[in-house]
Amino acid sequence: DILKFESFKSEPSNGKWWLRDRRKTLNFIANYKRSLETMIKVVYSKNFLKQTKDLIFAEVTADVSKRKRGFNVEVAIIAEGFDSVDIQRSISMGQNFIEESGKLCLLPADVVDRAETLQQSITGNLKQRSSAGFKQYIGAHQINDAEDLFAENLENWNPPEIWKEKSLSFRDVTSLPFPNINKDLIAALRPYQKLGVAWLTHLYKHEMGGILADEMGLGKTIQALAFMSALKSEKEESSTFLVVCPASLVENWKREANTFAKELKVYIHHGLKRLKSEVEFLKHDLIITSYVTLANDLTLFKKITFDAIIGDEAQHIKNKKTKNARALMTLKSAGRFLLTGTPIENSLDDLRGLFEFLMPGYLVKTPSSLSRDEKDWYDTRNKQQAASYILRRTKLEVAPELPDKIEKVLYCKMSESQESLYKSIQEKAQREIFEMEMAGASMGRIKMAGFTQLLRLRQICAEPRVVDPEKSANDSAKLKAFMEILNESIDGGHRILLFSQFVKVLGFVKEALEDEGISYSYLDGKTKNRLSVCDNFNNDSSIPVFLISTKAGGVGLNLTGADTIVHYDPWWNPAIEAQATDRAHRIGQTKVVTSIKLITTNSVEEKVLDLQKRKYALLEDLLDASNEASSKIGLDEIKAILD
């Protein structure tokens, strides 16, 4: 086939194939001599060896030299005894040999192609044609991408040591040194999380950004906090870090920081308690705010140069044209990082949007009016470039380091409207108990009144519309948090069991799912065909979530089709809660199971969660509004919970 393609002619008299044109012959030797020697057994005649013994083959080379913040890279096609002008002339003529002063140099097509590939990739320009000599400056953030290109396209690639040191740190995360942080925090980190902290620190010190894209449940928040803690410990002067996240996660960041990075002075810039000046900002190590609050207070935020900015749930800024994305991009900082389990939700445009914040201009810009093949080239280049700055570990990959069940608490801060309703019911409950005591009501009646109000407060925590139908979906902190979890779960290929003891709450969640066009399974006490509903969920992976009443579905079901459990309004008897979790965490489950408990802050839920660790029996009775239970609970204990 090769001989036919290259215009060889068959000679019937001797059964041989001949190529008698001198130009075609030299082109053939240039393009096929080396490759044929590796493909088949080649026998050369003495005359052929004599005629070709002085032939020179051109090679593609790359040299690098250090500059202050990067490197000068020179990609060239070289041949001993021939200058770049001669080589360029042959390339322009489409000729695979150079003939000058009786000397011959062969210019294989693959050499020209490899030089062109390197030059196109480094410039980010598909229209760049192969040149005999080419120079380009590349920044430190381009080293790993360039290293892959050179290693793939150069036979004898041997860069200077400083280049090797920088590129190795990207190619082998385990080689990165672990920064100095407090012993308690080190003890809380799993091995893969320590690698994540080292990776973030390395990028920061080399003035680069990155996306920590671990799957949901693998602790992106604690890794980010450890990273900030490490930077603070190494700097002599004060540091100010900024975390921007959805409003539903502001409180959770505060709790995690107070638990794992107590050395950081934290301030929540959200709601009514907002800082007023640059001086006030600089008094704190860590400022936590929401994307919406940042956009609203952008004039103030733009005055500050932060040590590092971390954008959580970064899918919120994937569209660089949105108000949230534009606000984040205008901020000043020494380092920029993003946390998201879903760096690409719909298309590569999502990734490009994220990198516009991380390292503006780094990803090759895709020109308009391209053919399908040309667009594919730019898409491939963007993925290659971005890969070095995305660290993603799945539960499956780190399973040896993890328990078979991950349990976490996600704290949700009430909306202003929700909090106002909660406080009004709370005050009403306290007033009602006081008035009943003054009127001489029986202890049993007072306790039952307390139980009733306690139930209403728990319902407000879960979904304020259960108590006040005039409220809207935007008033529900837990619904917002759950939809964040669900979207990340869907993008990560996970499936959720959502447990709630309030059927009305499940109804509102159903409405939200239907509004978003998300399919679901549903089971409560009225469900007749329980097993067929469960079988349908287990067998249909296109259903991402199963809504279940805790009482109806806490036992007797096998739901190993899911690997994530969300306790929307946790059942305070730990045994009941564990039984619900075990619908998925049981024999037949092949994945690590994540159990998430949603807790409303500054509420009865948080207070009871704290007591749960110490007074299981008390809580079991307290939340069972029966005559038998109320006989075991003192009025003072009810007041303490309602206070």
Side-chain angles (χ1 to χ4, degrees), residues 292-460:
V292 173
T293 302
L294 169 65
N296 291 337
D297 294 354
L298 186 57
T299 302
L300 175 58
F301 277 92
K302 286 169 65 174
K303 296 178 181 178
I304 300 145
T305 299
F306 295 97
D307 287 83
I309 298 173
I310 294 176
D312 192 16
E313 298 295 342
Q315 60 271 21
H316 287 268
I317 64 161
K318 65 185 180 183
N319 184 349
K320 62 184 180 182
K321 296 180 181 179
T322 63
K323 186 178 180 181
N324 289 347
R326 292 200 308 270
L328 200 62
M329 290 175 189
T330 59
L331 301 183
K332 295 175 289 187
S333 69
R336 297 182 172 199
F337 299 91
L338 295 172
L339 311 181
T340 176
T342 55
I344 299 178
E345 286 190 298
N346 301 308
S347 71
L348 274 173
D349 288 337
D350 296 347
L351 195 64
R352 295 181 181 110
L354 300 184
F355 270 84
E356 276 300 297
F357 164 70
L358 288 177
M359 293 183 286
Y362 169 59
L363 292 190
V364 174
K365 187 175 182 180
T366 306
S368 57
S369 304
L370 296 177
S371 68
R372 179 70 259 175
D373 288 344
E374 289 172 333
K375 188 175 187 306
D376 287 344
W377 185 89
Y378 281 96
D379 286 350
T380 299
R381 277 300 295 137
N382 281 172
K383 285 188 283 189
Q384 291 170 339
Q385 290 177 293
S388 300
Y389 300 97
I390 301 176
L391 182 61
R392 177 170 177 79
R393 280 79 57 89
T394 65
K395 292 174 185 173
L396 182 62
E397 289 171 338
V398 297
E401 307 295 346
L402 292 174
D404 56 0
K405 180 169 63 176
I406 304 170
E407 296 181 326
K408 59 186 296 187
V409 175
L410 182 64
Y411 291 97
C412 308
K413 190 179 190 312
M414 285 186 271
S415 66
E416 292 181 11
S417 175
Q418 185 178 12
E419 186 175 17
S420 176
L421 175 62
Y422 182 92
K423 287 183 176 179
S424 69
I425 298 298
Q426 183 184 37
E427 290 169 359
K428 180 181 177 182
Q430 293 168 334
R431 185 169 60 251
E432 183 179 359
I433 289 176
F434 175 76
E435 290 175 351
M436 290 178 74
E437 285 183 300
M438 293 299 98
S442 69
M443 188 63 68
R445 282 188 58 203
I446 297 175
K447 287 182 181 179
M448 288 307 298
F451 283 130
T452 300
Q453 298 296 2
L454 177 59
L455 174 64
R456 298 187 74 195
L457 291 177
R458 292 166 62 208
Q459 290 172 330
I460 294 170

Side-chain angles (χ1 to χ4, degrees), residues 30-251:
N31 291 332
Y32 292 100
K33 183 176 184 293
R34 290 178 172 177
S35 59
L36 284 175
E37 289 172 348
T38 62
M39 292 166 56
I40 59 176
K41 181 180 179 181
V42 180
V43 178
Y44 297 117
S45 68
K46 291 181 180 179
N47 187 50
F48 180 88
L49 292 173
K50 179 181 178 182
Q51 296 290 339
T52 60
K53 66 181 178 65
D54 293 326
L55 287 178
I56 298 169
F57 281 83
E59 300 287 351
V60 57
T61 65
D63 290 317
V64 298
S65 56
K66 184 72 178 73
R67 283 185 59 182
K68 185 176 180 180
R69 293 195 173 185
F71 293 85
N72 279 330
V73 175
E74 183 175 359
V75 177
I77 298 174
I78 62 170
E80 186 179 350
F82 295 86
D83 60 29
S84 60
V85 175
D86 298 328
I87 297 173
Q88 188 62 51
R89 185 185 304 116
S90 291
I91 292 174
S92 301
M93 294 170 60
Q95 183 170 281
N96 296 110
F97 62 90
I98 311 164
E99 197 165 14
E100 187 71 29
S101 303
K103 294 189 297 181
L104 269 173
C105 171
L106 300 185
L107 187 61
D110 77 298
V111 168
V112 178
D113 290 344
R114 283 187 282 126
E116 186 169 276
T117 295
L118 287 171
Q119 292 166 8
Q120 287 176 343
S121 299
I122 291 172
T123 61
N125 180 12
L126 182 58
K127 306 297 184 183
Q128 173 77 33
R129 298 277 71 92
S130 183
S131 171
F134 165 88
K135 292 182 180 180
Q136 179 85 6
Y137 168 79
I138 67 171
H141 55 284
Q142 296 173 283
I143 290 176
N144 192 51
D145 178 50
E147 170 68 19
D148 289 336
L149 292 169
F150 292 149
E152 183 178 344
N153 290 283
L154 300 176
E155 294 179 358
N156 299 305
W157 168 238
N158 186 29
E161 287 303 316
I162 188 169
W163 175 287
K164 291 179 182 178
E165 291 174 10
K166 289 183 176 294
S167 65
L168 178 63
S169 63
F170 285 101
R171 305 168 75 83
D172 181 13
V173 178
T174 61
S175 68
L176 298 175
F178 187 71
N180 180 38
I181 59 176
N182 71 70
K183 294 180 180 179
D184 291 339
L185 184 48
I186 291 177
L189 294 172
R190 299 186 181 279
Y192 73 89
Q193 292 172 330
K194 292 179 181 178
L195 293 180
V197 177
W199 182 76
L200 292 169
T201 306
H202 173 79
L203 291 178
Y204 179 85
K205 290 184 176 179
H206 288 84
E207 300 180 345
M208 294 175 273
I211 302 175
L212 184 58
D214 289 342
E215 271 193 321
M216 178 178 64
L218 293 185
K220 295 187 286 291
T221 301
I222 190 174
Q223 293 176 70
L225 287 168
F227 157 68
M228 290 184 279
S229 176
L231 293 188
K232 176 177 171 57
S233 68
E234 292 180 2
K235 294 187 67 172
E236 294 182 1
E237 65 273 19
S238 61
S239 303
T240 303
F241 307 107
L242 175 66
V243 167
V244 188
C245 61
S248 59
L249 298 181
V250 167
E251 187 64 26

